[in-house]
Amino acid sequence: MTKKKSQASAPLAVVILAAGLGTRMRSDLPKVLHAVCGRPMVSYVVDAALTLAPERIVVVTAEGHDEVMALLPQGCERVVQMERLGTGDAVRRGMEPLAGFGGNVMVLIGDAPLVDGAFVRRLMEHHAASHAVATITTVCMDAPGAYGRVVRDAEGDVLRIVEAEDASDAERAICEINVGLYMFDAEALRETLPRLTPSSASGEFYLTGVVSLLLEVGLTVTAFKADDPEMCMGVNSRVELAIANAAMRHRLLTRLMLAGVTVEDPDSTYVDWGVEVGRDTVLRPQTFLLGRTIVGAASEIGPSTYLEDVFVGDRARVVSSHLSACVVNSGCSVGPFAFIRPNTVLGEGAKAGAFVEIKNSRVGEGSKVPHLSYIGDAFVGNDTNIGAGNITANFDGFDKHPTYIGSDVRTGSDTTFVAPVNIGDGAFTAAGSVITKDVPAGGLGVARSRQENVDGYAKRREQRRRKEAKDGC
Ligand code: UD1
Ligand code: CA
């Protein structure tokens, strides 16, 4: 067994364990792909590793979990753990491509998504300063639950890690737990892994067993004791997934608030990882900013608003509305109760008002669709006003067709545009028209039957009513 000491300058490799099946998640999806704030858990762990600029990153995945590989950045290596034989076996697989590697190996677990770069750096620095061959990460938890317990001797030195299911009552009462993040001297780890024996309880090879084996041969193992239990949590169930999501969400919201965004009610505001919001923007209660959503400065979003993959410019207002995969340029007003669907672009200063649905359309600068309309597959020019209750009838039962409405157009209430149809610049449509033919620029399209009034109708009706009452009908 080597007595080689770790060095601060030693090369670093990171092994990320991500082959768990997520049995406790009761899911068909690999556990590490479950999302925290819209992003697979394992991506956070890979990010933390990348901040250390290690020489190698090896991710251990299960057979068939190709989706995990697909989201790893270039340069990450993948090894497959054919059988789920425990964390010790997973690290043994992870060390295979590192056969000739000399230096330090950091082991991270793919189900600890709240760990960040600063945290793993502290672990690395602690290890370098300790001159131990292994450093475990520990933290005290109020409810240590199913975590492995850290058993120390009278002097406070680490003796071993015992899994909760194998622990005695006294050991289970220990609040200091094994976080599951480690630093090892590569050679010491490589020499020790084959000596692991399977747990009598589960038949798995526990990585935690390496600690006792190293101590047995007189090598030093230290503990990096963290003080942030939230950062250290592992996600094994949907309950813990919800807790991790809430923690990450508050972290992201705090970052936004510190950057100048007003979040009126952080408890009811949901943001995904990667969402950007400009300064002086106000997020009102019950607002969801999901996916690749970007909101500019001095805008107002919410209350009760859902944006997924949406770009919103500056000084825009979106109230009680549902928007996805669309662009709302600066100065726009949307809602309340608008439904803006994919491939819609609202030009600067445009309006999509109450009970308005727009999909795959462009509404030009300063144009307004204020009330109760459906606009689909349409191109609307600038400074046009669409009257209340307009419909683009874009589907003939077989194909979708476009509607072109020019600039400075005024459409009457309850106009239906039977596409394909073209309304020229500056044109008008009469209220209640079903427009089936193009309207030339500057013209008026009237497409409804003329009104006829029947004089004296009310009087004749009353006479008939009285007669029938008298006759006993
Ligand atoms: C593990 C630790 C426990 C610690 C806890 C911290 C062991 C034996 N126990 O328990 O001491 O308190 O993490 O969260 O290490 N994995 C594989 N292949 C396997 C088994 C697991 O890649 O064969 C991966 C999983 O995807 C997961 C990680 O290793 O990312 C941890 O495995 P998990 O089964 O969740 O271990 P815990 O029971 O949580
Ligand atoms: Ca776990």
Side-chain angles (χ1 to χ4, degrees), residues 150-171:
V150 177
V151 182
R152 293 181 183 256
D153 63 18
E155 278 75 51
D157 292 330
V158 174
L159 275 182
R160 63 197 169 94
I161 297 168
V162 58
E163 291 307 297
E165 59 192 7
D166 303 328
S168 65
D169 286 349
E171 287 167 337

Side-chain angles (χ1 to χ4, degrees), residues 182-213:
Y182 317 80
M183 286 290 291
F184 295 103
D185 172 81
E187 225 172 302
L189 178 62
R190 206 177 288 121
E191 286 172 18
T192 311
L193 285 168
R195 296 199 288 121
L196 282 176
T197 51
S199 144
S200 52
S202 66
E204 289 188 5
F205 294 87
Y206 291 161
L207 177 60
T208 45
V210 166
V211 170
S212 323
L213 293 174

Side-chain angles (χ1 to χ4, degrees), residues 238-445:
R238 309 265 182 167
V239 175
E240 287 161 346
L241 183 66
I243 295 169
N245 262 289
M248 181 60 74
R249 189 157 65 81
H250 278 95
R251 204 186 274 181
L252 297 174
L253 287 169
T254 301
R255 213 175 285 163
L256 289 180
M257 290 186 275
L258 292 175
V261 176
T262 295
V263 181
E264 286 187 342
D265 180 17
D267 286 341
S268 74
T269 305
Y270 293 75
V271 290
D272 271 354
W273 184 89
V275 163
E276 295 170 32
V277 184
R279 60 191 278 161
D280 289 324
T281 282
V282 178
L283 303 182
R284 304 214 183 279
Q286 293 292 350
T287 285
F288 298 74
L289 306 182
L290 308 182
R292 295 293 299 130
T293 290
I294 297 175
V295 179
S299 288
E300 263 183 75
I301 311 293
S304 304
T305 292
Y306 180 99
L307 307 185
E308 184 168 10
D309 299 328
V310 175
F311 174 86
V312 180
D314 301 335
R315 301 173 314 284
R317 205 161 167 253
V318 185
V319 180
S320 300
S321 292
H322 187 115
L323 290 75
S324 58
C326 61
V327 172
V328 174
N329 279 299
S330 295
C332 281
S333 163
V334 176
F337 313 117
F339 181 29
I340 313 294
R341 294 166 50 197
N343 295 321
T344 294
V345 178
L346 302 182
E348 212 164 305
K351 175 177 175 124
F355 304 104
V356 166
E357 175 176 350
I358 306 181
K359 76 114 193 174
N360 190 34
S361 294
R362 183 179 192 288
V363 177
E365 289 168 23
S367 287
K368 296 185 168 52
V369 190
H371 330 275
L372 299 158
S373 290
Y374 170 66
I375 304 295
D377 305 312
F379 299 83
V380 179
N382 298 341
D383 299 313
T384 282
N385 194 84
I386 304 292
N390 281 203
I391 303 286
T392 53
N394 55 335
F395 186 51
D396 61 10
F398 299 96
D399 297 303
K400 296 279 174 67
H401 300 284
T403 301
Y404 296 93
I405 301 175
S407 293
D408 298 306
V409 171
R410 300 284 175 270
T411 72
S413 297
D414 201 19
T415 300
T416 298
F417 302 92
V418 181
V421 72
N422 202 333
I423 314 299
D425 290 346
F428 291 77
T429 64
S433 290
V434 178
I435 301 292
T436 56
K437 290 192 290 194
D438 290 357
V439 180
L444 166 67

Side-chain angles (χ1 to χ4, degrees), residues 17-21 24 31-32 60 81 83-87 90 109-111 146-149 161 163 177-180 182 204 206-208 232-234 236:
L17 308 187
L21 300 179
R24 288 166 281 180
K31 175 166 71 173
V32 296
V60 184
Q81 186 190 20
E83 264 186 284
R84 195 192 178 286
L85 294 176
T87 48
I109 47 178
D111 63 351
Y147 291 100
R149 307 296 202 268
I161 297 168
E163 291 307 297
I177 62 105
N178 168 36
V179 176
Y182 317 80
E204 289 188 5
Y206 291 161
L207 177 60
T208 45
C232 298
M233 78 172 287
N236 297 311

